[in-house]
Amino acid sequence: MSTPVGPYTPIVRGGDLLFTAGQVGIADGAIVEGGLEAELRQVFANLRAVLSSAHASLADVVKTTVFLVDMADYGAMNEIYMEEFGDHRPARSAVAVAELPIGARVEIEAVATV
């Protein structure tokens, strides 16, 4: 699990729910190179690590929010998102934002059950 880039907790339990902080495509302190696909793969690696730290997995996710700097990336994001979640389809919101921390193009936060 990567070190947070701000003053927050990566995952918090509230009752039977786990709430993750937004995950960006950061590795070794910087956004990974290779564009949207590389960033998204790293986002999911980071999301898996955060969930695993609380003994959960992507299969436990019930809701996600995807933040995109460019909605033109929506289709490509959907393809990778479906690959990563497989047949599991959590509820989801996707929103366009003007900017994300440390120059990220995409960020995903999740709510999981425990």
Side-chain angles (χ1 to χ4, degrees):
M1 187 166 51
S2 61
T3 303
V5 296
Y8 59 85
T9 303
I11 192 164
V12 175
R13 183 176 179 159
D16 291 337
L17 297 175
L18 296 169
F19 299 86
T20 73
Q23 300 298 306
V24 296
I26 191 171
D28 300 321
I31 293 294
V32 296
E33 294 183 16
L36 180 73
E37 181 175 352
E39 277 191 49
L40 267 170
R41 299 289 183 198
Q42 188 62 49
V43 165
F44 277 100
N46 295 345
L47 190 56
R48 275 191 206 85
V50 168
L51 289 165
S52 179
S53 75
H55 309 290
S57 71
L58 290 179
D60 300 308
V61 173
V62 294
K63 169 74 169 77
T64 63
T65 305
V66 178
F67 303 93
L68 290 166
V69 171
D70 186 349
M71 270 300 174
D73 291 334
Y74 185 80
M77 177 277 297
N78 266 336
E79 289 182 30
I80 295 165
Y81 184 96
M82 289 187 300
E83 287 176 28
E84 294 286 347
F85 273 107
D87 291 333
H88 180 55
R89 295 287 184 265
R92 184 184 82 187
S93 300
V95 295
V97 296
E99 190 174 8
L100 288 168
I102 63 173
R105 295 174 62 176
V106 61
E107 178 175 4
I108 299 177
E109 64 181 24
V111 178
T113 58
V114 289

Coordinates of all heavy atoms in Angstrom, one line a residue, residues 9-110:
T9 N -6.7 9.0 6.1 CA -6.6 7.6 6.3 C -7.0 6.9 5.1 O -8.1 7.1 4.5 CB -7.4 7.2 7.5 OG1 -7.0 8.0 8.6 CG2 -7.3 5.7 7.8
P10 N -6.2 5.9 4.6 CA -6.5 5.2 3.3 C -7.8 4.4 3.3 O -8.5 4.3 2.3 CB -5.3 4.3 3.1 CG -4.2 5.0 3.8 CD -4.9 5.6 5.0
I11 N -8.2 3.9 4.5 CA -9.4 3.1 4.6 C -9.9 3.2 6.0 O -9.1 3.1 7.0 CB -9.2 1.6 4.2 CG1 -10.5 0.9 4.0 CG2 -8.2 0.9 5.1 CD1 -10.4 -0.4 3.2
V12 N -11.2 3.3 6.1 CA -11.9 3.5 7.5 C -13.1 2.6 7.5 O -13.8 2.5 6.6 CB -12.3 4.9 7.7 CG1 -13.1 5.1 9.0 CG2 -11.1 5.9 7.7
R13 N -13.2 1.9 8.7 CA -14.4 1.1 8.9 C -15.5 1.8 9.6 O -15.2 2.5 10.6 CB -14.0 -0.2 9.6 CG -15.2 -1.1 9.8 CD -14.8 -2.4 10.5 NE -16.0 -3.3 10.6 CZ -15.9 -4.5 10.8 NH1 -14.8 -5.2 10.9 NH2 -17.0 -5.2 10.9
G14 N -16.7 1.7 9.1 CA -17.8 2.3 9.8 C -18.9 1.2 9.9 O -19.5 0.9 8.8
G15 N -19.1 0.6 11.0 CA -20.0 -0.5 11.1 C -19.6 -1.7 10.2 O -18.5 -2.2 10.3
D16 N -20.5 -2.1 9.3 CA -20.2 -3.2 8.4 C -19.7 -2.7 7.0 O -19.6 -3.5 6.1 CB -21.4 -4.0 8.1 CG -21.8 -4.8 9.4 OD1 -21.0 -5.1 10.3 OD2 -23.0 -5.2 9.5
L17 N -19.3 -1.4 7.0 CA -18.8 -0.9 5.7 C -17.3 -0.4 5.8 O -16.9 0.1 6.9 CB -19.6 0.3 5.3 CG -21.1 0.0 5.0 CD1 -21.9 1.3 4.7 CD2 -21.2 -0.9 3.8
L18 N -16.6 -0.5 4.7 CA -15.3 0.0 4.6 C -15.3 1.1 3.6 O -15.9 1.0 2.5 CB -14.3 -1.0 4.1 CG -14.0 -2.2 5.0 CD1 -13.3 -3.3 4.3 CD2 -13.3 -1.8 6.2
F19 N -14.7 2.3 3.9 CA -14.7 3.4 3.0 C -13.2 3.7 2.6 O -12.4 3.9 3.5 CB -15.3 4.7 3.7 CG -16.7 4.5 4.0 CD1 -17.1 3.9 5.3 CD2 -17.7 4.9 3.2 CE1 -18.4 3.8 5.6 CE2 -19.1 4.8 3.5 CZ -19.4 4.2 4.8
T20 N -12.9 3.6 1.3 CA -11.5 3.9 0.9 C -11.4 5.4 0.5 O -12.3 6.0 0.0 CB -11.1 3.1 -0.3 OG1 -11.7 3.5 -1.5 CG2 -11.4 1.6 -0.1
A21 N -10.2 5.9 0.8 CA -9.9 7.2 0.2 C -9.7 7.0 -1.3 O -9.5 5.9 -1.8 CB -8.6 7.7 0.8
G22 N -9.8 8.0 -2.1 CA -9.6 7.9 -3.5 C -8.2 7.4 -3.8 O -7.3 7.9 -3.2
Q23 N -8.2 6.5 -4.8 CA -6.9 5.9 -5.2 C -6.5 6.4 -6.6 O -7.4 6.4 -7.5 CB -7.0 4.4 -5.2 CG -7.3 3.8 -3.9 CD -6.3 4.1 -2.8 OE1 -5.1 3.8 -3.0 NE2 -6.7 4.7 -1.7
V24 N -5.3 6.9 -6.7 CA -4.8 7.4 -8.0 C -3.7 6.4 -8.4 O -3.3 5.5 -7.7 CB -4.3 8.8 -8.0 CG1 -5.4 9.8 -7.7 CG2 -3.1 9.0 -7.0
G25 N -3.2 6.6 -9.6 CA -2.2 5.6 -10.2 C -0.8 6.0 -9.7 O 0.1 6.2 -10.5
I26 N -0.6 6.0 -8.4 CA 0.7 6.3 -7.9 C 1.5 5.1 -7.5 O 0.9 4.1 -7.0 CB 0.5 7.3 -6.6 CG1 1.9 7.9 -6.2 CG2 -0.2 6.6 -5.5 CD1 1.8 8.9 -5.1
A27 N 2.8 5.1 -7.8 CA 3.7 4.0 -7.4 C 5.0 4.7 -7.1 O 5.4 5.5 -7.9 CB 3.8 3.0 -8.5
D28 N 5.7 4.3 -6.1 CA 7.0 4.9 -5.7 C 6.9 6.4 -5.7 O 7.8 7.1 -6.2 CB 8.1 4.4 -6.7 CG 8.2 2.9 -6.7 OD1 8.1 2.3 -5.6 OD2 8.4 2.3 -7.8
G29 N 5.8 7.0 -5.2 CA 5.7 8.4 -5.0 C 5.3 9.3 -6.2 O 5.3 10.5 -6.1
A30 N 5.1 8.6 -7.3 CA 4.7 9.4 -8.6 C 3.7 8.7 -9.4 O 3.5 7.5 -9.3 CB 6.0 9.6 -9.4
I31 N 3.0 9.4 -10.2 CA 2.0 8.8 -11.1 C 2.8 8.0 -12.1 O 3.8 8.4 -12.6 CB 1.2 9.9 -11.8 CG1 0.3 10.7 -10.9 CG2 0.4 9.3 -13.0 CD1 -0.8 9.9 -10.2
V32 N 2.3 6.8 -12.3 CA 2.9 5.9 -13.3 C 2.8 6.4 -14.7 O 1.9 7.2 -15.0 CB 2.3 4.4 -13.3 CG1 2.5 3.8 -11.9 CG2 0.8 4.5 -13.6
E33 N 3.8 6.1 -15.5 CA 3.9 6.5 -16.9 C 3.1 5.5 -17.8 O 3.0 4.4 -17.4 CB 5.3 6.7 -17.4 CG 6.1 7.8 -16.7 CD 7.5 7.9 -17.2 OE1 7.8 7.4 -18.3 OE2 8.3 8.6 -16.5
G34 N 2.6 6.0 -18.9 CA 2.0 5.1 -19.8 C 0.5 5.4 -20.1 O -0.2 4.7 -20.7
G35 N 0.1 6.6 -19.6 CA -1.3 7.1 -20.0 C -2.4 6.5 -19.1 O -2.1 5.9 -18.1
L36 N -3.6 6.6 -19.6 CA -4.8 6.3 -18.8 C -4.8 4.8 -18.4 O -5.0 4.4 -17.3 CB -6.0 6.6 -19.6 CG -7.3 6.2 -18.8 CD1 -7.6 7.2 -17.7 CD2 -8.5 6.2 -19.8
E37 N -4.5 3.9 -19.3 CA -4.5 2.5 -19.0 C -3.5 2.1 -17.9 O -3.9 1.4 -16.9 CB -4.2 1.6 -20.2 CG -4.3 0.1 -19.9 CD -4.1 -0.8 -21.0 OE1 -4.1 -0.4 -22.2 OE2 -4.0 -2.1 -20.8
A38 N -2.3 2.6 -18.0 CA -1.3 2.3 -16.9 C -1.8 2.9 -15.6 O -1.6 2.3 -14.6 CB 0.0 2.9 -17.3
E39 N -2.3 4.1 -15.6 CA -2.8 4.7 -14.4 C -3.9 3.9 -13.8 O -3.9 3.6 -12.6 CB -3.3 6.2 -14.6 CG -2.2 7.2 -14.6 CD -2.8 8.6 -14.6 OE1 -3.6 8.9 -13.8 OE2 -2.3 9.4 -15.4
L40 N -4.9 3.5 -14.6 CA -6.0 2.7 -14.1 C -5.6 1.4 -13.5 O -6.1 0.9 -12.5 CB -7.1 2.5 -15.2 CG -8.2 3.5 -15.2 CD1 -9.0 3.3 -16.5 CD2 -9.0 3.4 -14.0
R41 N -4.6 0.7 -14.2 CA -4.1 -0.6 -13.7 C -3.5 -0.3 -12.3 O -3.7 -1.1 -11.4 CB -3.1 -1.2 -14.6 CG -3.7 -1.5 -16.0 CD -4.6 -2.7 -16.0 NE -5.1 -2.9 -17.4 CZ -6.1 -3.6 -17.7 NH1 -6.9 -4.2 -16.7 NH2 -6.4 -3.8 -18.9
Q42 N -2.8 0.8 -12.1 CA -2.2 1.1 -10.8 C -3.2 1.5 -9.8 O -3.1 1.1 -8.6 CB -1.1 2.2 -11.0 CG -0.3 2.4 -9.7 CD 0.5 1.2 -9.3 OE1 1.2 0.6 -10.2 NE2 0.4 0.8 -8.1
V43 N -4.2 2.2 -10.2 CA -5.3 2.6 -9.3 C -5.9 1.3 -8.8 O -6.1 1.2 -7.5 CB -6.5 3.4 -10.1 CG1 -7.7 3.4 -9.3 CG2 -6.0 4.8 -10.4
F44 N -6.2 0.3 -9.6 CA -6.8 -1.0 -9.1 C -5.8 -1.7 -8.3 O -6.2 -2.4 -7.3 CB -7.3 -1.8 -10.3 CG -8.7 -1.4 -10.7 CD1 -8.9 -0.6 -11.8 CD2 -9.8 -1.8 -9.9 CE1 -10.2 -0.2 -12.2 CE2 -11.1 -1.4 -10.3 CZ -11.3 -0.6 -11.4
A45 N -4.5 -1.7 -8.6 CA -3.5 -2.3 -7.7 C -3.5 -1.7 -6.3 O -3.5 -2.4 -5.3 CB -2.1 -2.3 -8.3
N46 N -3.6 -0.4 -6.3 CA -3.6 0.4 -5.0 C -4.9 0.1 -4.3 O -4.9 -0.1 -3.1 CB -3.4 1.9 -5.3 CG -2.1 2.2 -5.8 OD1 -1.2 1.4 -5.8 ND2 -1.9 3.4 -6.4
L47 N -6.1 0.1 -5.0 CA -7.3 -0.2 -4.4 C -7.3 -1.6 -3.8 O -7.8 -1.8 -2.6 CB -8.5 -0.1 -5.4 CG -9.9 -0.1 -4.9 CD1 -10.1 0.9 -3.8 CD2 -10.9 0.1 -6.1
R48 N -6.8 -2.6 -4.5 CA -6.7 -4.0 -3.9 C -5.9 -4.0 -2.7 O -6.2 -4.7 -1.7 CB -6.1 -4.9 -5.0 CG -7.0 -5.5 -5.9 CD -6.3 -6.6 -6.7 NE -7.0 -6.7 -8.0 CZ -6.7 -6.0 -9.1 NH1 -5.8 -5.1 -9.1 NH2 -7.4 -6.2 -10.2
A49 N -4.8 -3.3 -2.7 CA -3.9 -3.2 -1.5 C -4.6 -2.6 -0.3 O -4.5 -3.1 0.8 CB -2.6 -2.5 -1.8
V50 N -5.3 -1.5 -0.5 CA -6.0 -0.8 0.6 C -7.1 -1.8 1.1 O -7.2 -1.9 2.3 CB -6.6 0.5 0.1 CG1 -7.6 1.1 1.1 CG2 -5.5 1.5 -0.2
L51 N -7.9 -2.4 0.2 CA -8.9 -3.3 0.7 C -8.3 -4.5 1.4 O -8.8 -4.9 2.5 CB -9.8 -3.8 -0.5 CG -10.7 -2.7 -1.1 CD1 -11.2 -3.2 -2.5 CD2 -11.8 -2.4 -0.2
S52 N -7.2 -5.0 0.9 CA -6.6 -6.2 1.5 C -6.1 -5.9 2.9 O -6.2 -6.7 3.8 CB -5.4 -6.6 0.6 OG -4.7 -7.7 1.2
S53 N -5.7 -4.6 3.2 CA -5.2 -4.3 4.5 C -6.3 -4.4 5.5 O -6.1 -4.4 6.7 CB -4.6 -2.8 4.5 OG -5.7 -1.9 4.4
A54 N -7.6 -4.4 5.1 CA -8.8 -4.5 5.9 C -9.5 -5.9 5.7 O -10.6 -6.0 6.0 CB -9.7 -3.4 5.7
H55 N -8.7 -6.8 5.1 CA -9.2 -8.2 4.9 C -10.4 -8.2 3.9 O -11.4 -8.9 4.1 CB -9.5 -8.9 6.2 CG -8.3 -8.8 7.1 ND1 -7.2 -9.5 6.9 CD2 -8.2 -8.1 8.3 CE1 -6.3 -9.3 7.9 NE2 -6.9 -8.4 8.7
A56 N -10.4 -7.3 2.9 CA -11.5 -7.3 1.9 C -10.9 -7.3 0.5 O -9.6 -7.3 0.4 CB -12.3 -6.0 2.1
S57 N -11.7 -7.4 -0.5 CA -11.3 -7.5 -1.9 C -12.2 -6.7 -2.8 O -13.3 -6.2 -2.3 CB -11.2 -8.9 -2.3 OG -12.5 -9.5 -2.5
L58 N -11.9 -6.7 -4.1 CA -12.8 -6.0 -5.0 C -14.2 -6.7 -5.0 O -15.2 -6.0 -5.3 CB -12.2 -6.1 -6.4 CG -11.0 -5.2 -6.7 CD1 -10.6 -5.4 -8.2 CD2 -11.3 -3.7 -6.4
A59 N -14.3 -8.0 -4.7 CA -15.5 -8.7 -4.7 C -16.5 -8.2 -3.6 O -17.7 -8.3 -3.6 CB -15.3 -10.2 -4.5
D60 N -15.9 -7.5 -2.6 CA -16.7 -6.9 -1.5 C -17.2 -5.5 -1.7 O -17.9 -4.9 -0.9 CB -15.8 -6.9 -0.2 CG -15.4 -8.3 0.2 OD1 -16.3 -9.2 0.3 OD2 -14.2 -8.5 0.4
V61 N -16.7 -4.9 -2.8 CA -17.1 -3.5 -3.1 C -18.5 -3.4 -3.6 O -19.0 -4.2 -4.4 CB -16.1 -2.9 -4.2 CG1 -16.6 -1.6 -4.7 CG2 -14.7 -2.9 -3.7
V62 N -19.3 -2.5 -3.0 CA -20.7 -2.3 -3.3 C -20.9 -1.0 -4.1 O -22.0 -0.8 -4.7 CB -21.6 -2.4 -2.1 CG1 -21.6 -3.8 -1.5 CG2 -21.2 -1.4 -1.0
K63 N -20.0 -0.1 -4.0 CA -20.2 1.3 -4.6 C -18.8 1.9 -4.9 O -17.9 1.8 -4.1 CB -20.9 2.2 -3.7 CG -21.0 3.7 -4.0 CD -21.9 3.9 -5.2 CE -22.2 5.4 -5.5 NZ -21.2 6.1 -6.1
T64 N -18.7 2.4 -6.1 CA -17.5 3.2 -6.4 C -17.8 4.6 -7.0 O -19.0 4.8 -7.5 CB -16.6 2.5 -7.5 OG1 -17.3 2.4 -8.7 CG2 -16.1 1.1 -7.1
T65 N -16.9 5.5 -6.9 CA -17.0 6.8 -7.5 C -15.7 6.9 -8.3 O -14.6 6.8 -7.8 CB -17.2 7.9 -6.5 OG1 -18.3 7.7 -5.7 CG2 -17.4 9.2 -7.3
V66 N -15.9 7.2 -9.6 CA -14.7 7.4 -10.5 C -14.7 8.9 -10.9 O -15.7 9.5 -11.3 CB -14.9 6.5 -11.8 CG1 -13.7 6.8 -12.8 CG2 -15.1 5.1 -11.5
F67 N -13.5 9.4 -10.7 CA -13.3 10.8 -11.0 C -12.4 10.9 -12.2 O -11.3 10.3 -12.2 CB -12.6 11.6 -9.9 CG -13.4 11.5 -8.6 CD1 -13.2 10.5 -7.6 CD2 -14.4 12.4 -8.3 CE1 -13.9 10.4 -6.5 CE2 -15.2 12.4 -7.1 CZ -14.9 11.3 -6.2
L68 N -12.8 11.5 -13.3 CA -12.0 11.6 -14.5 C -11.7 13.1 -14.9 O -12.6 13.9 -14.8 CB -12.8 11.0 -15.7 CG -13.0 9.5 -15.7 CD1 -14.0 9.1 -16.7 CD2 -11.7 8.8 -16.0
V69 N -10.5 13.4 -15.2 CA -10.2 14.7 -15.7 C -10.7 15.0 -17.0 O -11.1 16.1 -17.4 CB -8.6 14.9 -15.6 CG1 -8.2 16.2 -16.3 CG2 -8.1 14.9 -14.2
D70 N -10.8 14.0 -17.9 CA -11.3 14.1 -19.2 C -12.4 13.0 -19.5 O -12.1 11.9 -19.6 CB -10.2 14.0 -20.2 CG -10.6 14.3 -21.7 OD1 -11.8 14.4 -22.0 OD2 -9.6 14.4 -22.5
M71 N -13.6 13.5 -19.7 CA -14.7 12.5 -20.0 C -14.5 11.8 -21.3 O -15.2 10.7 -21.5 CB -16.1 13.2 -19.9 CG -16.7 13.2 -18.6 SD -17.0 11.5 -17.9 CE -17.6 11.9 -16.3
A72 N -13.6 12.2 -22.1 CA -13.3 11.5 -23.3 C -12.7 10.1 -23.0 O -12.6 9.2 -23.8 CB -12.4 12.3 -24.2
D73 N -12.2 10.0 -21.8 CA -11.6 8.7 -21.3 C -12.6 7.8 -20.7 O -12.3 6.7 -20.3 CB -10.5 9.0 -20.2 CG -9.3 9.7 -20.7 OD1 -9.0 9.6 -21.9 OD2 -8.6 10.4 -19.9
Y74 N -13.9 8.1 -20.7 CA -14.9 7.3 -20.1 C -15.0 5.9 -20.7 O -15.1 4.9 -20.0 CB -16.3 8.1 -20.3 CG -17.4 7.4 -19.6 CD1 -17.6 7.5 -18.2 CD2 -18.3 6.6 -20.3 CE1 -18.7 6.9 -17.6 CE2 -19.4 6.0 -19.7 CZ -19.6 6.1 -18.3 OH -20.6 5.5 -17.7
G75 N -15.0 5.8 -22.0 CA -15.1 4.5 -22.7 C -13.9 3.6 -22.4 O -14.1 2.4 -22.0
A76 N -12.7 4.1 -22.5 CA -11.5 3.4 -22.1 C -11.5 3.0 -20.7 O -11.1 1.8 -20.3 CB -10.3 4.2 -22.5
M77 N -12.0 3.9 -19.8 CA -12.0 3.6 -18.4 C -13.0 2.4 -18.2 O -12.7 1.5 -17.4 CB -12.5 4.8 -17.6 CG -12.7 4.6 -16.1 SD -14.3 3.9 -15.6 CE -15.4 5.2 -16.1
N78 N -14.2 2.5 -18.8 CA -15.2 1.4 -18.7 C -14.6 0.0 -19.0 O -14.9 -1.0 -18.3 CB -16.4 1.7 -19.5 CG -17.5 2.4 -18.8 OD1 -17.6 2.3 -17.6 ND2 -18.3 3.1 -19.5
E79 N -13.8 -0.1 -20.1 CA -13.3 -1.3 -20.5 C -12.4 -1.9 -19.5 O -12.5 -3.1 -19.1 CB -12.5 -1.2 -21.8 CG -13.4 -0.9 -23.0 CD -12.6 -0.8 -24.3 OE1 -11.6 -1.4 -24.5 OE2 -13.1 -0.1 -25.2
I80 N -11.5 -1.1 -18.9 CA -10.5 -1.6 -17.9 C -11.3 -1.9 -16.6 O -11.0 -2.9 -16.0 CB -9.4 -0.5 -17.7 CG1 -8.6 -0.5 -19.0 CG2 -8.5 -0.9 -16.5 CD1 -7.6 0.7 -19.1
Y81 N -12.2 -1.0 -16.3 CA -13.0 -1.2 -15.1 C -13.7 -2.5 -15.1 O -13.7 -3.3 -14.1 CB -14.0 0.0 -15.0 CG -14.9 0.0 -13.8 CD1 -14.6 0.8 -12.7 CD2 -16.1 -0.7 -13.7 CE1 -15.4 0.9 -11.6 CE2 -16.9 -0.6 -12.6 CZ -16.5 0.2 -11.5 OH -17.4 0.2 -10.4
M82 N -14.3 -2.9 -16.2 CA -15.0 -4.2 -16.4 C -14.1 -5.3 -16.3 O -14.4 -6.4 -15.7 CB -15.9 -4.2 -17.7 CG -17.1 -3.3 -17.6 SD -18.2 -3.4 -19.0 CE -17.1 -3.0 -20.4
E83 N -12.9 -5.2 -16.9 CA -11.9 -6.2 -16.8 C -11.5 -6.5 -15.3 O -11.4 -7.6 -14.9 CB -10.6 -5.9 -17.5 CG -10.7 -6.0 -19.0 CD -9.5 -5.5 -19.7 OE1 -8.4 -5.6 -19.1 OE2 -9.6 -5.0 -20.9
E84 N -11.3 -5.4 -14.6 CA -10.8 -5.5 -13.2 C -11.9 -6.1 -12.3 O -11.6 -6.8 -11.4 CB -10.3 -4.1 -12.7 CG -9.1 -3.6 -13.4 CD -7.8 -4.3 -13.0 OE1 -7.8 -5.0 -12.0 OE2 -6.8 -4.1 -13.7
F85 N -13.1 -5.7 -12.5 CA -14.2 -6.2 -11.6 C -14.8 -7.5 -12.1 O -15.5 -8.2 -11.3 CB -15.3 -5.1 -11.4 CG -15.0 -4.2 -10.3 CD1 -14.7 -2.9 -10.6 CD2 -15.1 -4.5 -9.0 CE1 -14.4 -1.9 -9.6 CE2 -14.9 -3.6 -8.0 CZ -14.6 -2.3 -8.3
G86 N -14.5 -7.9 -13.3 CA -15.0 -9.1 -13.8 C -16.6 -9.1 -13.9 O -17.1 -8.0 -14.3
D87 N -17.2 -10.1 -13.4 CA -18.7 -10.2 -13.5 C -19.3 -9.4 -12.3 O -20.5 -9.1 -12.3 CB -19.2 -11.6 -13.4 CG -18.9 -12.4 -14.7 OD1 -18.7 -11.7 -15.7 OD2 -18.7 -13.6 -14.6
H88 N -18.5 -9.0 -11.4 CA -19.0 -8.2 -10.2 C -19.3 -6.7 -10.7 O -18.4 -6.1 -11.3 CB -18.0 -8.2 -9.1 CG -18.4 -7.4 -7.9 ND1 -19.6 -7.6 -7.2 CD2 -17.7 -6.5 -7.2 CE1 -19.6 -6.8 -6.2 NE2 -18.5 -6.1 -6.2
R89 N -20.4 -6.2 -10.4 CA -20.8 -4.8 -10.9 C -21.3 -4.0 -9.7 O -22.5 -3.9 -9.5 CB -21.9 -4.9 -12.0 CG -21.4 -5.6 -13.3 CD -20.5 -4.6 -14.1 NE -20.1 -5.2 -15.3 CZ -19.0 -5.9 -15.5 NH1 -18.2 -6.2 -14.6 NH2 -18.8 -6.4 -16.7
P90 N -20.4 -3.4 -9.0 CA -20.9 -2.5 -7.9 C -21.6 -1.3 -8.5 O -21.4 -0.9 -9.7 CB -19.6 -2.0 -7.2 CG -18.4 -2.7 -7.9 CD -19.0 -3.4 -9.1
A91 N -22.5 -0.7 -7.7 CA -23.1 0.6 -8.1 C -21.9 1.6 -8.3 O -20.9 1.5 -7.7 CB -24.0 1.1 -7.0
R92 N -22.1 2.5 -9.3 CA -21.0 3.4 -9.6 C -21.5 4.8 -10.0 O -22.6 4.9 -10.7 CB -20.2 2.8 -10.7 CG -19.0 3.7 -11.1 CD -18.2 3.2 -12.2 NE -18.9 3.6 -13.5 CZ -18.5 3.2 -14.7 NH1 -17.6 2.3 -14.8 NH2 -19.1 3.6 -15.7
S93 N -20.8 5.8 -9.7 CA -20.9 7.1 -10.2 C -19.6 7.5 -10.9 O -18.5 7.1 -10.5 CB -21.2 8.2 -9.1 OG -22.3 7.8 -8.4
A94 N -19.7 8.2 -12.0 CA -18.5 8.7 -12.7 C -18.7 10.2 -12.9 O -19.7 10.6 -13.5 CB -18.3 8.0 -14.0
V95 N -17.7 11.0 -12.5 CA -17.9 12.5 -12.6 C -16.6 13.1 -13.2 O -15.5 12.5 -13.0 CB -18.1 13.1 -11.2 CG1 -19.5 12.7 -10.7 CG2 -17.0 12.8 -10.2
A96 N -16.8 14.1 -13.9 CA -15.7 14.9 -14.5 C -15.2 15.9 -13.5 O -16.0 16.5 -12.8 CB -16.1 15.6 -15.8
V97 N -13.9 16.1 -13.3 CA -13.3 17.0 -12.4 C -12.3 17.9 -13.2 O -11.8 17.4 -14.2 CB -12.7 16.3 -11.2 CG1 -13.7 15.6 -10.4 CG2 -11.6 15.4 -11.6
A98 N -12.1 19.1 -12.7 CA -11.1 20.0 -13.3 C -9.7 19.5 -13.2 O -8.8 19.7 -14.1 CB -11.3 21.4 -12.8
E99 N -9.4 18.9 -12.0 CA -8.0 18.5 -11.7 C -8.0 17.5 -10.6 O -8.9 17.4 -9.8 CB -7.2 19.7 -11.3 CG -5.8 19.6 -11.2 CD -5.0 20.9 -10.9 OE1 -5.7 21.9 -10.6 OE2 -3.8 20.8 -10.9
L100 N -7.0 16.6 -10.5 CA -6.8 15.6 -9.5 C -5.4 15.8 -8.9 O -4.5 16.4 -9.5 CB -7.0 14.2 -10.0 CG -8.4 13.8 -10.4 CD1 -8.4 12.5 -11.2 CD2 -9.3 13.7 -9.1
P101 N -5.2 15.3 -7.6 CA -3.9 15.5 -7.0 C -2.8 14.9 -7.8 O -3.0 13.9 -8.5 CB -4.1 14.7 -5.7 CG -5.6 14.7 -5.4 CD -6.2 14.6 -6.8
I102 N -1.7 15.5 -7.7 CA -0.4 15.1 -8.3 C -0.4 14.8 -9.8 O 0.3 14.0 -10.3 CB 0.4 14.0 -7.5 CG1 -0.4 12.7 -7.5 CG2 0.6 14.4 -6.1 CD1 0.4 11.5 -6.9
G103 N -1.4 15.4 -10.5 CA -1.5 15.3 -11.9 C -2.1 14.0 -12.4 O -2.0 13.7 -13.6
A104 N -2.9 13.3 -11.6 CA -3.5 12.1 -12.0 C -4.6 12.4 -13.0 O -5.2 13.5 -13.0 CB -4.2 11.4 -10.8
R105 N -4.9 11.5 -13.8 CA -6.0 11.6 -14.8 C -7.3 10.9 -14.3 O -8.4 11.2 -14.8 CB -5.6 10.9 -16.1 CG -4.5 11.7 -16.8 CD -4.0 10.9 -18.0 NE -5.0 10.9 -19.0 CZ -4.9 10.4 -20.2 NH1 -3.7 9.9 -20.6 NH2 -5.9 10.3 -21.1
V106 N -7.2 10.0 -13.4 CA -8.3 9.2 -12.9 C -8.1 8.9 -11.4 O -6.9 8.7 -10.9 CB -8.5 7.9 -13.7 CG1 -7.3 7.0 -13.6 CG2 -9.8 7.2 -13.3
E107 N -9.2 8.8 -10.6 CA -9.1 8.5 -9.2 C -10.4 7.7 -8.9 O -11.5 8.0 -9.5 CB -9.1 9.7 -8.3 CG -9.2 9.5 -6.9 CD -9.0 10.8 -6.0 OE1 -9.0 11.9 -6.6 OE2 -9.0 10.7 -4.8
I108 N -10.3 6.6 -8.1 CA -11.4 5.8 -7.8 C -11.5 5.7 -6.3 O -10.5 5.3 -5.6 CB -11.4 4.4 -8.4 CG1 -11.4 4.6 -10.0 CG2 -12.6 3.6 -8.0 CD1 -11.3 3.3 -10.7
E109 N -12.7 5.9 -5.7 CA -12.9 5.6 -4.3 C -14.0 4.5 -4.2 O -14.8 4.3 -5.2 CB -13.3 6.8 -3.5 CG -14.7 7.4 -3.9 CD -15.1 8.6 -3.1 OE1 -14.2 9.3 -2.6 OE2 -16.3 8.9 -3.1
A110 N -14.0 3.7 -3.1 CA -14.9 2.6 -3.0 C -15.5 2.4 -1.6 O -14.9 2.9 -0.6 CB -14.1 1.3 -3.4

